[in-house]
Amino acid sequence: MDVAIEESWKEKLHEEFDKPYFEELIEFVKQEYKTQTVYPPGKLIFNAFDSCPFDACKVVILGQDPYHGPGQANGLCFSVNDGIPKPPSLLNIFKEVHEDTGVPIPVSGNLQRWADQGILLLNSTLTVRAGEAGSHQKKGWETFTDAVIQRINDEKENIVFLLWGKYAQDKGSIIDESKHHVLKAKHPSPLAAKWGGWFGSKHFSQTNEYLTKVGKEKIEW
């Protein structure tokens, strides 16, 4: 199957595209876009990959579903389009960035600038029906994104994986921590942050310390 995805990822993942589960997934997704309102826009389904080629990837942040409100999802986990109010989890991320590194909370919640610096902002499920969180789970996306993580784990070294919350940590259980740097914290959602384990995690400064140690350029958060 010919998939419109960035060339380096197409090369790494071509075997997945010809598997029966992926063909069934794409048929399901096509039908959903024809009959329902689905986010993100079709051209942005693989935006995380298009914005961060395989060789450029040095950090991975794992999310779960795209946002399911109008105009929010842009194919990058936790990110929203310019001009869209920041969802609570994203605002808590920015608050922790500020407390950890001193970087001011930005006006825009668009994390494209992170992706452009080598952060793969990967949702486990890449599409969602409007207003229905989790509506495209267990259709095949999780199998595909597991394969993405496995490929990064096997073929790269010294990647920083940021795993926020139990879902991301369970999905990241396949990561070889002797090859990569895995940082875990509570999810930045308001409820989880309220009970502790998100604020003060200092993942952003720790990420840059590790990247510097292994000779990679720091992230401008």
Side-chain angles (χ1 to χ4, degrees):
M1 179 181 291
D2 186 31
V3 177
I5 193 171
E6 191 273 334
E7 283 301 319
S8 65
W9 286 107
K10 181 179 285 190
E11 179 185 344
K12 297 296 181 184
L13 299 169
H14 71 273
E15 293 178 359
E16 295 300 309
F17 300 145
D18 291 326
K19 291 181 178 178
Y21 88 85
F22 193 84
E23 294 179 358
E24 292 172 10
L25 167 65
I26 294 305
E27 283 306 309
F28 165 77
V29 170
K30 285 180 178 178
Q31 189 63 23
E32 285 285 284
Y33 274 92
K34 286 179 182 176
T35 60
Q36 307 290 333
T37 300
V38 178
Y39 302 124
K43 65 182 180 180
L44 295 179
I45 292 174
F46 295 110
N47 191 27
F49 303 92
D50 297 338
S51 300
C52 180
F54 186 83
D55 288 344
C57 177
K58 56 189 179 184
V59 179
V60 178
I61 299 178
L62 290 183
Q64 191 165 353
D65 273 351
Y67 295 120
H68 52 82
Q72 290 181 305
N74 61 9
L76 308 175
C77 73
F78 293 105
S79 175
V80 291
N81 288 307
D82 294 329
I84 298 294
K86 303 177 189 74
S89 293
L90 179 58
L91 187 56
N92 282 342
I93 290 170
F94 285 146
K95 287 178 179 177
E96 176 61 17
V97 170
H98 176 65
E99 291 298 319
D100 184 18
T101 69
V103 172
I105 294 174
V107 172
S108 174
N110 194 334
L111 299 181
Q112 184 67 48
R113 64 189 181 282
W114 289 10
D116 292 341
Q117 296 179 75
I119 302 181
L120 182 67
L121 294 160
L122 180 66
N123 274 318
S124 177
T125 302
L126 300 190
T127 54
V128 68
R129 191 182 289 186
E132 298 184 36
S135 51
H136 285 189
Q137 291 178 4
K138 299 180 180 178
K139 301 295 185 182
W141 279 130
E142 296 92 339
T143 302
F144 173 69
T145 51
D146 281 349
V148 172
I149 295 168
Q150 190 71 62
R151 191 56 54 93
I152 295 170
N153 178 75
D154 293 348
E155 296 194 19
K156 295 181 75 73
E157 293 183 350
N158 301 324
I159 300 297
V160 181
F161 287 89
L162 302 181
L163 307 181
W164 300 336
K166 185 178 186 302
Y167 184 91
Q169 289 161 21
D170 287 347
K171 191 171 181 69
S173 62
I174 61 175
I175 298 163
D176 182 351
E177 297 191 32
S178 70
K179 288 178 62 182
H180 305 289
H181 192 55
V182 178
L183 296 173
K184 301 176 183 179
K186 291 287 184 67
H187 195 277
S189 66
L191 185 61
K194 177 183 177 183
W195 293 107
W198 168 252
F199 291 115
S201 55
K202 298 188 181 297
H203 278 190
F204 306 98
S205 61
Q206 290 182 58
T207 294
N208 277 345
E209 288 168 7
Y210 181 79
L211 291 174
T212 299
K213 186 175 80 171
V214 298
K216 297 181 181 181
E217 193 169 338
K218 295 191 294 185
I219 302 295
E220 293 185 12
W221 300 108

